[in-house]
Amino acid sequence: MTVTRADLEEKLREIQSVVEETKEGARSASVLLAVAAVALILLFYSMGRRRGRRSAARVEVYRVR
C-alpha cells in the first residue's frame, strides 16, 4: 500500500474543514455566553439600584452659621 500526495492532500483538507467547523461552533457559543453574562450583570445592577432607591434613608443636611 502506497500513500500518494493526493491522498495526503485530501486528508489534510478533510482535517482542516473539521477544524474550521469546530472553530466556528466554539466562537458562536462564546459570543452567546458573553451576551448572556452582560445581560445578567445589567439585570442584577438594575435590580440592586431599584432596591437601593426604595430602602435608602433620606438625609437632609443643613448648614449652620
Side-chain angles (χ1 to χ4, degrees):
M1 177 176 193
T2 60
V3 178
T4 65
R5 181 181 174 119
D7 293 336
L8 289 174
E9 288 176 352
E10 179 183 344
K11 191 62 173 179
L12 287 174
R13 281 192 200 101
E14 181 181 329
I15 291 171
Q16 186 176 7
S17 69
V18 169
V19 168
E20 289 295 324
E21 290 173 7
T22 305
K23 184 172 76 171
E24 290 298 320
R27 183 178 295 150
S28 64
S30 64
V31 167
L32 179 63
L33 182 63
V35 168
V38 169
L40 278 175
I41 289 170
L42 290 175
L43 176 69
F44 290 147
Y45 173 76
S46 64
M47 288 173 61
R49 186 172 175 176
R50 181 175 154 213
R51 182 175 179 183
R53 284 185 178 174
R54 245 189 311 151
S55 63
R58 304 286 178 193
V59 178
E60 295 182 21
V61 178
Y62 293 100
R63 188 173 190 176
V64 179
R65 290 185 181 204

